[in-house]
Amino acid sequence: MSTVSSALRRAPHQLMFWLVIAVFAVGALRAFFPIEGFDEVRTGEVPLEVAGSDGGLWVLNYADHTVSLVRTSDQEVLLTTEVGADVAPALSANDDGAWLILDAGATIGRVDASGEIVDRFDVSDTIDGIAQDLAAGPDFVWVTTGEGQQMVRIDTGTGEIGDVIEVGEVVVQPQVLGDSLWVFETDGITEYDNTTGEELNKIDTSDIRVHDFYATGDEVYVLANVDNFEETGLVVRLDPETNRENGRYRLTETKPSHITVADGQVFVTGSGGLLMELTTDPDRPPTLIATEQVTVSTKDLRGVTVLDDIVWVADGTNGIVHQPVTGVEGGDITDVTEPQVG
């Protein structure tokens, strides 16, 4: 009887021991083998931002001060080039190459497909303070100064730097969409004419804390109210015509980082190696249809974009993860629960 009792007493401890071993074993496997359906391309240390162009996918590797170009057809790294220790954590791209903020915010530079920095535009005498973010369009680049409250347009064909636009508020996260430039300012997300800089529309966002946003032709999707301690955040859909909110979804159990929209789907990256997919059905609030751990759990995923029907995500450690848009697990909209509203 005593032998049986002793064995029973040891059983919970033995079970816990083997559970711990199993957890570490799974973690080790994930470190060496990507999650099924996803793959990883190593580009450099601490990749933060990704941007697509006809030439491929550009990746900013912030810690080792390099930019990589990945061919999307076979995921081959075509080049990795050093751009200087004073590069800012900002990246945009057009058909001419990758655009960066260099020299501690004094210069806007272009890296072409040869890996050379072939253009430099000195903005130090034009703007107050330093350049902090940028967005490239065909033959032009818009530069914003953040707390400097200014924007300026560079005609990259002629090299002409336009007149400074005094926004009067903090201005960040520029995005070019068609004939429009969208930016986030202190009290709203604002649309400007991307040629003249004339203000066209402003959506009041004073009731939410904007973390990131993505503008489409008909809607603006906002990643808001991110709480890194509680690991929560909101995806909020705004209607530019009415300047009102048109649905929201509350994300949980992750620290949301970046958002993008493509092909009727919203993609959000977050901590724990998570990529979340939501629908963009205009007749319903944004609805979560997939949450996948696309890389090892220690990674906080960063910039995300869709290029050539593939979701590309900077993994924040040493490369990018990718998967075809159609490969992201999900389901029919009728098969999921109603969204959480918060």
Side-chain angles (χ1 to χ4, degrees):
M1 181 67 69
S2 61
T3 303
V4 174
S5 299
S6 177
L8 290 174
R9 286 195 299 270
R10 290 196 305 269
H13 300 285
Q14 292 174 339
L15 178 61
M16 183 62 68
F17 171 79
W18 288 113
L19 283 174
V20 171
I21 294 297
V23 168
F24 277 102
V26 170
L29 286 173
R30 286 181 175 174
F32 290 99
F33 299 99
I35 304 302
E36 183 178 358
F38 288 82
D39 203 355
E40 188 166 41
V41 179
R42 296 201 168 197
T43 58
E45 256 191 276
V46 190
L48 296 183
E49 299 292 342
V50 290
S53 70
D54 285 350
L57 182 82
W58 293 92
V59 185
L60 173 61
N61 310 299
Y62 186 63
D64 59 10
H65 320 302
T66 64
V67 170
S68 299
L69 176 61
V70 179
R71 186 165 58 203
T72 58
S73 59
D74 59 5
Q75 297 83 52
E76 180 181 350
V77 179
L78 299 178
L79 63 89
T80 295
T81 186
E82 294 186 5
V83 292
D86 292 327
V87 63
L91 172 72
S92 190
N94 59 15
D95 293 343
D96 296 325
W99 293 90
L100 304 159
I101 299 175
L102 307 173
D103 304 323
T107 305
I108 307 302
R110 176 173 70 94
V111 178
D112 72 0
S114 71
E116 299 294 323
I117 301 176
V118 291
D119 283 327
R120 285 181 178 268
F121 299 95
D122 188 343
V123 295
S124 60
D125 293 331
T126 303
I127 60 176
D128 295 335
I130 62 173
Q132 291 190 355
D133 209 347
L134 77 173
D139 300 320
F140 66 88
V141 174
W142 276 96
V143 180
T144 59
T145 62
E147 294 184 0
Q149 304 182 2
Q150 295 177 332
M151 304 190 307
V152 67
R153 185 183 191 271
I154 301 173
D155 185 317
T156 57
T158 65
E160 180 182 357
I161 300 177
D163 295 332
V164 169
I165 295 176
E166 299 284 350
V167 176
E169 304 175 47
V170 172
V171 55
V172 295
Q173 298 175 330
Q175 298 175 20
V176 173
L177 176 67
D179 294 329
S180 297
L181 169 73
W182 289 87
V183 298
F184 171 52
E185 300 175 359
T186 303
D187 62 355
I189 295 174
T190 307
E191 179 186 11
Y192 291 88
D193 183 292
N194 73 22
T195 300
T196 65
E198 176 188 0
E199 182 176 322
L200 303 176
N201 188 23
K202 175 172 283 191
I203 306 174
D204 183 6
T205 58
S206 57
D207 61 336
I208 56 176
R209 301 189 315 274
V210 176
H211 182 82
D212 193 20
F213 79 95
Y214 192 90
T216 72
D218 301 315
E219 299 159 321
V220 176
Y221 286 85
V222 181
L223 188 56
N225 293 12
V226 172
D227 188 318
N228 289 332
F229 180 75
E230 296 289 340
E231 296 192 328
T232 58
L234 295 177
V235 173
V236 180
R237 184 171 60 205
L238 303 174
D239 185 340
E241 288 191 4
T242 64
N243 289 352
R244 294 183 177 179
E245 181 180 321
N246 184 26
R248 61 171 59 185
Y249 185 89
R250 184 170 184 264
L251 301 170
T252 60
E253 299 181 359
T254 188
K255 295 177 285 188
S257 176
H258 288 62
I259 187 170
T260 194
V261 183
D263 300 324
Q265 299 166 93
V266 180
F267 295 96
V268 178
T269 59
S271 61
L274 296 182
L275 175 67
M276 292 145 282
E277 179 195 6
L278 298 91
T279 64
T280 61
D281 185 343
D283 297 324
R284 295 174 56 112
T287 304
L288 187 72
I289 61 173
T291 299
E292 294 204 69
Q293 184 181 341
V294 303
T295 187
V296 294
S297 61
T298 57
K299 294 182 179 179
D300 290 351
L301 300 182
R302 303 299 296 264
V304 56
T305 192
V306 176
L307 181 63
D308 297 334
D309 295 322
I310 296 176
V311 185
W312 304 89
V313 185
D315 72 13
T317 302
N318 54 29
I320 51 174
V321 291
H322 61 91
Q323 176 179 312
V325 170
T326 55
V328 176
E329 292 181 3
D332 191 295
I333 187 70
T334 60
D335 294 336
V336 299
T337 57
E338 289 296 320
Q340 307 172 56
V341 178

